[in-house]
Amino acid sequence: MYTLGFPNVEVRTGFSGCLYSYVTNTTPDNRDRNVLKKAYKMFERNDDLPTFIEAIKTFYSGVLVPPKLGGFDALLYTLLTAFGADVRAEEPTAKGCSDITLFMPRSIYVMELKYNDTAEAALEQINRKGYADKYALDGRPVTKVGIAFSSEERNITDWSSEPKA
């Protein structure tokens, strides 16, 4: 078994940006792409998670995402990476792996994504498996985020977060 990675941040961000453009069929002057990137930059500055989630929902409504969880979480990871975020997928913990962990300048977001389930079920899994525990000594507040995708809607249908610890 081999694990492939990127040699540095520039290559990772460049690859993700190209993949993002290919998957979404966008060009650098595409308004939708710029709106989503602006929403991310605002989220990065002020930790406004609800506004950023709404921007992602709007983005997903214009993209044909494969009807399975892997498509939704892979696209979210690619979006965040393309924007230069410090994001990690399947971050290991003592009791399993969190789907996405996003390290922002002032906060950490531990995200669990559920397919045809509820955001509350995702939050329950984060708590039961202690996904956020490993960041207790980081110094930044940790927010647990549960996100639910629907195969029928092909979009985020429910999300919830627990306050910063």
Side-chain angles (χ1 to χ4, degrees), residues 1-164:
M1 177 182 235
Y2 295 94
T3 301
L4 300 176
F6 296 102
N8 56 44
V9 173
E10 291 81 12
V11 173
R12 182 179 75 147
T13 302
F15 175 80
S16 296
C18 289
L19 183 60
Y20 171 64
S21 295
Y22 176 78
V23 168
T24 61
N25 194 25
T26 59
T27 59
D29 56 66
N30 185 302
R31 185 179 186 284
D32 292 335
R33 179 179 179 178
N34 290 333
V35 167
L36 186 58
K37 188 168 188 173
K38 285 179 186 175
Y40 171 75
K41 291 300 180 186
M42 284 180 51
F43 174 48
E44 187 176 42
R45 280 193 302 272
N46 61 20
D47 288 329
D48 185 2
L49 182 62
T51 301
F52 185 58
I53 296 280
E54 288 305 313
I56 293 170
K57 286 172 65 173
T58 300
F59 172 80
Y60 278 149
S61 69
V63 176
L64 182 59
V65 180
K68 59 183 179 177
L69 180 58
F72 289 104
D73 62 357
L75 186 52
L76 179 57
Y77 176 83
T78 301
L79 289 171
L80 293 168
T81 303
F83 297 150
D86 182 1
V87 60
R88 299 172 197 161
E90 298 298 323
E91 185 74 1
T93 68
K95 295 181 183 176
C97 298
S98 59
D99 287 333
I100 293 178
T101 306
L102 178 60
F103 298 86
M104 300 298 276
R106 291 177 303 282
S107 301
I108 297 172
Y109 294 86
V110 176
M111 301 178 180
E112 185 64 28
L113 293 79
K114 290 290 183 188
Y115 187 67
N116 291 332
D117 206 339
T118 66
E120 290 305 316
L123 282 176
E124 189 276 327
Q125 182 174 333
I126 292 170
N127 289 324
R128 182 173 31 86
K129 294 198 173 192
Y131 292 158
D133 296 350
K134 72 187 268 182
Y135 308 109
L137 299 177
D138 180 274
R140 290 176 279 185
V142 178
T143 300
K144 303 167 190 172
V145 182
I147 299 175
F149 292 95
S150 164
S151 60
E152 186 176 312
E153 297 292 321
R154 290 185 178 229
N155 207 329
I156 297 171
T157 53
D158 185 27
W159 75 275
S160 184
S161 66
E162 288 190 357
K164 294 176 181 172

